[in-house]
């Protein structure tokens, strides 16, 4: 009855729980860490099979829905500490970001768009950087890349990858959004 009341009062939870209704009994009866590990593995597997940005977007959004379902049910029923909830949300955003960044770079390398010695790093700032992400937080990121002095093309590719990253994470779809990305 508590979850039904929450669904009645919060349209977001109503939509989230209806989409993930089969997950709720598992949340109530199974080990939370095992459910989160399963969600993590599902995200990584989906990226292993993804060949388009749309598939990457879908994987991230389904992953976030699963994590949000787990965390909100446990929160509403007072079965997880706030510290655990924040840790799970932060880890989810970090895993999604890392997985997407790796997928974008691998895809670009397979298309021979990047020189072998080029590389990039994405630094998490703000709440993600401190591991204190909440449900409504955006992710504040800084993108750095390294190329040889005479390799202007790889630099342009990394700028393009950063744009793709923000688009894939932030664009609203029928499955919602991943995370809003802020590079400022």
């Amino acid at each position: 009855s508590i979850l039904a009341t929450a669904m009645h009062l919060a349209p977001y939870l109503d939509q989230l729980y209806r989409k993930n209704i089969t997950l709720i009994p598992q949340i109530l009866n199974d080990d939370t860490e095992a459910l989160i590990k399963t969600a993590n593995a599902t995200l990584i597997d989906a990226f292993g099979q993804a060949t388009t940005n749309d598939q990457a977007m879908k994987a991230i959004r389904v992953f976030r829905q699963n994590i949000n379902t787990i965390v909100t049910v446990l929160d509403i029923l007072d079965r997880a500490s706030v510290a655990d909830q924040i840790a799970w949300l932060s880890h989810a955003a970090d895993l999604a970001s890392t997985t997407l960044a790796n997928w974008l770079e691998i895809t670009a390398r397979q298309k021979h768009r990047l020189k072998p010695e080029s590389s990039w790093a994405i630094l998490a700032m703000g709440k993600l950087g401190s591991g204190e992400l909440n449900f409504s937080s955006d992710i504040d990121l800084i993108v750095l890349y390294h190329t040889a002095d005479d390799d202007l093309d790889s630099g342009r590719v990394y700028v393009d990858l950063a744009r793709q990253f923000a688009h894939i994470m932030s664009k609203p779809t029928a499955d919602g959004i991943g995370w809003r990305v802020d590079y400022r």
Side-chain angles (χ1 to χ4, degrees):
S1 67
I2 293 170
L3 292 177
T5 301
M7 291 170 71
H8 176 72
L9 296 174
Y12 170 74
L13 293 179
D14 183 59
Q15 181 182 25
L16 182 68
Y17 294 168
R18 287 180 190 278
K19 282 185 177 181
N20 298 285
I21 196 75
T22 59
L23 187 56
I24 293 175
Q26 294 174 34
I27 297 167
L28 299 176
N29 298 316
D30 291 345
D31 174 32
T32 302
E33 293 298 328
L35 289 172
I36 290 178
K37 284 181 183 178
T38 299
N40 294 347
T42 301
L43 174 71
I44 292 166
D45 290 345
F47 267 93
Q49 299 173 28
T51 58
T52 67
N53 287 357
D54 287 343
Q55 291 169 335
M57 287 164 52
K58 175 90 173 171
I60 287 170
R61 282 145 186 78
V62 169
F63 172 66
R64 185 164 188 200
Q65 286 177 23
N66 288 337
I67 295 297
N68 283 356
T69 300
I70 294 166
V71 173
T72 59
V73 167
L74 294 173
D75 179 33
I76 290 167
L77 298 177
D78 198 26
R79 291 190 179 184
S81 70
V82 172
D84 283 342
Q85 295 170 45
I86 289 170
W88 293 327
L89 294 171
S90 297
H91 179 12
D94 183 56
L95 179 64
S97 296
T98 301
T99 304
L100 175 58
N102 289 339
W103 181 80
L104 287 168
E105 184 174 28
I106 289 167
T107 302
R109 289 192 185 284
Q110 289 171 341
K111 295 178 181 177
H112 305 288
R113 295 181 64 205
L114 294 168
K115 301 275 193 236
E117 63 278 356
S118 66
S119 61
W120 71 336
I122 300 176
L123 302 177
M125 307 298 288
K127 290 178 185 170
L128 179 57
S130 63
E132 299 173 342
L133 208 64
N134 63 50
F135 285 104
S136 62
S137 298
D138 61 357
I139 54 175
D140 301 309
L141 304 173
I142 296 174
V143 178
L144 305 169
Y145 64 86
H146 173 75
T147 64
D149 291 340
D150 62 345
D151 182 14
L152 297 177
D153 291 336
S154 290
R156 289 184 191 105
V157 171
Y158 283 120
V159 170
D160 179 54
L161 295 181
R163 287 186 184 118
Q164 286 182 55
F165 181 98
H167 176 80
I168 290 169
M169 284 293 251
S170 303
K171 181 182 177 188
T173 71
D175 296 308
I177 66 165
W179 284 264
R180 291 181 317 277
V181 174
D182 188 351
Y183 288 135
R184 293 174 286 135

